[in-house]
Amino acid sequence: MVMRWAEGFIAVDWGTSNRRAWRLSPGGEVAGEMEDDQGILAVAEGGFPAAVAQIRARLGDLPMLMAGMIGSNRGWIEAPYVRCPAGPGDLAERLCWIEGERAAIVPGVAFDSGGVADVMRGEEVQLLGAHAKGWIGADSTLCHPGTHNKWVRLEGGRIAAFRTVMTGELFNLLKEHSILADLLAGPVEPGAAFEAGVRHGLERDDLTAEIFSVRARVLLGKAPAGEAGAYLSGLLIGADLKVGLRLAGEGEIVAMGRPDLTRLFAAALAVAGRPAREVDGDAAFLAGAWHLVELVR
Amino acid sequence: MVMRWAEGFIAVDWGTSNRRAWRLSPGGEVAGEMEDDQGILAVAEGGFPAAVAQIRARLGDLPMLMAGMIGSNRGWIEAPYVRCPAGPGDLAERLCWIEGERAAIVPGVAFDSGGVADVMRGEEVQLLGAHAKGWIGADSTLCHPGTHNKWVRLEGGRIAAFRTVMTGELFNLLKEHSILADLLAGPVEPGAAFEAGVRHGLERDDLTAEIFSVRARVLLGKAPAGEAGAYLSGLLIGADLKVGLRLAGEGEIVAMGRPDLTRLFAAALAVAGRPAREVDGDAAFLAGAWHLVELVR
């Protein structure tokens, strides 16, 4: 039998608002990449074959492995969730094949236990890729900041449990549409205001009141307007850590994802007294895509 | 000396997005009213005299008492905050007179103590009106749901302390702009889902994770989509009560404001085991406006 996808393939992280794609050579090197705003919500019903053709027109007429919201009920074809514990073998076995095995969608992962229900789509490829590369241990705790931060327990190299915290989306909603919007235009940097926010979020449980206080303190001259964004970011991340650290074992936490976000989470973990290490999400995604394809060759 | 404003006056509650105005007769009866979407953000710079003239064109050429965001730094003239404790005499003394005493803006109230900073504009008129009418005791605890819920301690008939919780605005942001939007279109009613949300919000401190779980449970078939709005509303109000009840003394809590909102807060307070009583916010506003004008006659 001929080895599947021996000519290399295109790995696509296809989200709600954006998509990114990389061409991987037969040996696994990156031979091309693209990014645009054709997330699944920008694709009209029935438009996915054409949207996929666009990617091949730019990166080559190759097989494609896709992950993320492309497998949701709003995407191309719904790829049912795999339940935790979910390892690379479970995902490979449940790949959703299409186009006569010229393309496959990675299933998302679901957690449903003890009254907690949760779902992920896309992060699972990064998690398993980072483990396949030895960047994270078989038994470890990660956070994956983004629109929705995921806290994940890996056990025996499989995703054992996870919890999503809506930190990124809440910050963006407040920044774009709330009464705080004019205070949040500036960049967010780690520093004293960020750390004060983290401490408040970790130690107190009055988040929805403290969000308004950010504005009140500026109005009353108790805090400079320029620090409001950093404080609010710290506050939301501190509240996020309070939830996530309950899932964590002893020892280091790995923050994986976009470097501008993992940097903030690492700074917040330092405030919480937890050692943190950052792993680049793109590199982990490519490693995970490669690993999954190897498992089905 | 001729009694000030003996011909009656117009009381205006002028907020960020809307304004409401009532014509009060020389004896205090409501002789006309209007409401439109000309909140302060809809009025261009320099446009307030014309916006005020519109109200007089509809309700009569009378003096006007205005409260709310009209006195903010985005409104007509900034009316500096009065610090807590603030009673009717403090507000009357600090009215911001304009148009040769044909109009006045009620100052907002600021709280700044023990590391907590907070501000209100508009609610103070309702609070003092309800007390002037005997609808609430001189020493009592209230909540005032709205875009920003205010928890208020009244002591000796003056506003002694308060804390704002961003419950209404957060619910609206999630309903209009978030990944939960399609789940939150329906009406919110008290009931089992609402009460389960209240209990979670009161007892747990994982709010920003639980908000995402609302969606995950629907995706995994663990909760009906039609109950998501009621559960989320209960969740946010439960978290709100957890903050507010720390400010409360023993005994009943008064929920004052729009009846559709005070009804939800009264239902949530019942879940928390606290007796609650509802007071209509419009009636309290008119009583407060009348009381303030009497104090300066």
Side-chain angles (χ1 to χ4, degrees), chain B residues 10 18 37 50 57 84 101 106 122 150 164 181 195 210 256 282 293:
Chain B
I10 299 170
N18 296 284
D37 60 0
C84 288
E101 306 206 347
V106 182
K150 307 282 182 188
T164 304
E195 289 169 14
E210 188 61 17
M256 185 164 70
D282 287 351
V293 169

Side-chain angles (χ1 to χ4, degrees), chain A residues 112 117-118 148 163-166 169-170 173 177-179 205-210 212-213 216-217 222 246, chain B residues 112 117-118 148 163-166 169-170 173 177-179 205-210 212-213 216 222 246:
Chain A
D112 177 9
D118 216 327
H148 302 139
R163 186 106 205 252
T164 304
V165 194
M166 215 191 221
E169 182 166 4
L170 282 172
L173 289 172
H177 302 291
S178 83
I179 194 168
D205 64 347
D206 60 355
L207 180 69
T208 54
E210 188 62 17
F212 185 83
S213 299
R217 274 197 292 270
K222 313 290 288 183
R246 290 182 195 139
Chain B
D112 177 10
D118 216 328
H148 302 140
R163 185 105 207 251
T164 304
V165 195
M166 216 192 221
E169 182 165 3
L170 282 174
L173 289 172
H177 302 290
S178 83
I179 195 170
D205 64 346
D206 59 355
L207 180 69
T208 52
E210 188 61 17
F212 185 83
S213 298
K222 312 292 287 183
R246 289 181 197 142

Side-chain angles (χ1 to χ4, degrees), chain A residues 74-247:
Chain A
R74 300 282 287 272
W76 188 4
I77 285 172
E78 190 169 355
Y81 295 108
V82 173
R83 301 263 157 170
C84 287
D90 306 296
L91 294 182
E93 197 175 287
R94 301 277 295 278
L95 284 178
C96 191
W97 293 94
I98 37 188
E99 292 189 325
E101 306 205 346
R102 279 273 290 172
I105 297 180
V106 182
V109 178
F111 179 75
D112 177 9
S113 173
V116 174
D118 216 327
V119 291
M120 70 166 67
R121 279 197 188 275
E123 295 89 350
E124 68 287 342
V125 176
Q126 294 191 23
L127 289 162
L128 302 174
H131 176 238
K133 283 283 192 184
W135 298 335
I136 57 176
D139 299 281
S140 52
T141 305
L142 300 97
C143 65
H144 188 289
T147 307
H148 302 139
N149 182 35
K150 307 283 182 187
W151 284 88
V152 185
R153 263 310 286 168
L154 219 62
E155 288 174 10
R158 299 167 87 194
I159 299 167
F162 63 94
R163 186 106 205 252
T164 304
V165 194
M166 215 191 221
T167 302
E169 182 166 4
L170 282 172
F171 186 84
N172 290 336
L173 289 172
L174 291 165
K175 179 172 179 167
E176 287 167 27
H177 302 291
S178 83
I179 194 168
L180 296 178
D182 59 339
L183 293 176
L184 304 177
V188 170
E189 293 292 333
F194 176 81
E195 289 170 13
V198 171
R199 276 190 294 275
H200 192 111
L202 275 169
E203 291 163 13
R204 307 276 287 274
D205 64 347
D206 60 355
L207 180 69
T208 54
E210 188 62 17
I211 291 172
F212 185 83
S213 299
V214 172
R215 177 173 156 80
R217 274 197 292 270
V218 173
L219 286 174
L220 296 181
K222 313 290 288 183
E227 290 181 359
Y231 181 83
L232 179 71
S233 173
L235 179 69
L236 286 167
I237 293 175
D240 185 318
L241 262 54
K242 188 165 56 178
V243 174
L245 289 174
R246 290 182 195 139
L247 206 70

